[in-house]
Amino acid sequence: MTSDPFFHPVSGMDLPRFAGVATFMRLPLVTPDHPRFPEVQVGLVGVPWDGGTTNRPGPRHGPRQLRDHSTMVRAQHGVSGMRPFETLACADLGDVGPNPADIQDSMARITAFYDTLVANGTRPLTAGGDHLTSLPVLRALARERPLGMIHFDSHTDLWHSYFGGTMFTHGTPFRRAVEEGLLDPKRMVQIGIRGPMYDSEDRDFAKAEGIRIITIEEFHARGVSDVMAEAREIAGTGETYVSYDIDFVDPTFAPGTGTPEIGGPNSWQALQVVRELTGVTIVGADLVEVSPPFDATGGTAFLGITIMFELLCKMAENAA
């Protein structure tokens, strides 16, 4: 429990939600050089970078829009009653400054930033950025041992390469993570996979490695509770990373993303899947691929930050 008001968000009863400097969920800004950084248990981090995007760019602008819309987050979960900001010391840790002209340098910068969090014992909740962001984050979090992963997406992101040998795109992060020993493929589940395919190479890799893919057809046929019961069983009791691509959600509800695929879950199901993570040992999580240029109204970002609040509540609940 943290009763320290320093780590509590600014209430809309004290300062209107349209006023003040935007931080994630109106939390204090505590960069790693801040004297109170050692106390932060969960850090919300922006990674404004889309160097891995292969089609429609824009997720580099995601963290800023997500921060702006996060002013609507309040202190208590409406269903569970969880008050995460009183359970864990949470703070906005700012952005990782990428190098927009160099993928490798950007990934090195991201990993170095998250190394600081790992050394401090701070669990990250990340706002991307495109999905390649997950790889350098995992390089820090899984440096000592492979993690399990529960992955919500319409794409597997298990491709070997793009354009004849480009190994690092938003379609390859989890192939690299398995190859580098960052993820245990037997403890990986990918939920919501759908859409036209180039070929079956990514799914063939998943089958060979033991990665469980739950297609959108199976998801809709079985329902959220049944699918998530299997996801929890696959993850087990070991340390697990949760990665949530906003394109998991049907573009009717989340049009602001680079590679939308029709036929996905609605916004209610988008929240339900996170609420079913009870008992999962979440050592880090991300919400990626919010692309403001494709949804200037901000509805996608509002859904994205609501999902992040659900993730934060689950991290707090599972740590309590």
Side-chain angles (χ1 to χ4, degrees):
M1 295 289 290
T2 175
S3 58
D4 189 337
F6 176 81
F7 289 109
H8 290 187
V10 176
S11 171
M13 297 295 186
D14 298 325
L15 182 69
R17 298 187 181 279
F18 52 81
V21 176
T23 60
F24 281 122
M25 304 183 193
R26 311 192 94 189
L27 288 163
L29 180 64
V30 181
T31 53
D33 58 354
H34 192 284
R36 302 206 65 174
F37 173 67
E39 302 170 60
V40 179
Q41 295 170 288
V42 173
L44 284 78
V45 183
V47 183
W49 179 62
D50 53 16
T53 300
T54 58
N55 185 25
R56 305 198 306 178
R60 68 181 63 188
H61 302 291
R64 183 167 293 184
Q65 193 184 48
L66 286 161
R67 276 192 177 91
D68 189 27
H69 284 73
S70 75
T71 61
M72 292 303 295
V73 172
R74 297 173 178 83
Q76 181 169 312
H77 192 279
V79 177
S80 69
M82 168 60 66
R83 298 179 66 85
F85 309 114
E86 296 177 10
T87 303
L88 298 170
C90 305
D92 185 333
L93 303 187
D95 285 347
V96 182
N99 179 345
D102 190 320
I103 286 177
Q104 295 296 338
D105 184 46
S106 289
M107 290 197 294
R109 293 175 184 220
I110 295 166
T111 299
F113 187 95
Y114 283 81
D115 279 337
T116 302
L117 272 62
V118 171
N120 195 53
T122 301
R123 286 179 289 159
L125 177 53
T126 302
D130 71 45
H131 221 152
L132 185 56
T133 299
S134 301
L135 178 61
V137 173
L138 286 167
R139 285 174 173 171
L141 268 60
R143 192 179 296 280
E144 302 298 326
R145 73 288 181 224
L147 303 175
M149 185 175 72
I150 297 176
H151 173 201
F152 304 103
D153 206 326
S154 61
H155 312 100
T156 66
D157 297 345
L158 291 173
W159 292 95
H160 177 267
S161 59
Y162 276 51
F163 307 107
T166 300
M167 308 297 281
F168 298 98
T169 77
H170 64 171
T172 69
F174 302 125
R175 179 74 162 256
R176 300 288 89 80
V178 170
E179 293 170 347
E180 294 178 22
L182 307 175
L183 293 174
D184 177 355
K186 302 297 191 296
R187 294 183 54 233
M188 289 177 62
V189 57
Q190 301 184 308
I191 302 168
I193 308 305
R194 63 188 185 273
M197 301 162 61
Y198 293 112
D199 55 41
S200 62
E201 185 234 323
D202 59 332
R203 298 198 191 194
D204 293 342
F205 176 81
K207 184 176 181 179
E209 295 292 331
I211 299 169
R212 174 72 165 109
I213 291 178
I214 298 176
T215 65
I216 198 63
E217 291 79 12
E218 183 178 352
F219 176 88
H220 286 310
R222 292 174 57 188
V224 170
S225 293
D226 192 35
V227 165
M228 292 309 299
E230 182 183 357
R232 292 193 302 272
E233 182 178 357
I234 291 170
T237 59
E239 295 181 329
T240 300
Y241 190 77
V242 178
S243 189
Y244 201 125
D245 189 323
I246 198 66
D247 73 28
F248 168 71
V249 187
D250 190 89
T252 302
F253 304 92
T257 192
T259 315
E261 301 286 357
I262 64 166
N266 59 33
S267 58
W268 164 233
Q269 293 166 317
L271 306 182
Q272 279 185 298
V273 294
V274 180
R275 294 177 186 180
E276 294 277 352
L277 292 173
T278 298
V280 178
T281 305
I282 303 172
V283 296
D286 63 43
L287 183 285
V288 299
E289 296 285 359
V290 170
S291 185
F294 297 103
D295 186 7
T297 66
T300 304
F302 185 47
L303 175 59
I305 200 65
T306 304
I307 291 165
M308 288 183 68
F309 180 67
E310 294 281 348
L311 284 165
L312 178 61
C313 287
K314 201 52 62 173
M315 293 170 79
E317 175 191 310
N318 294 354

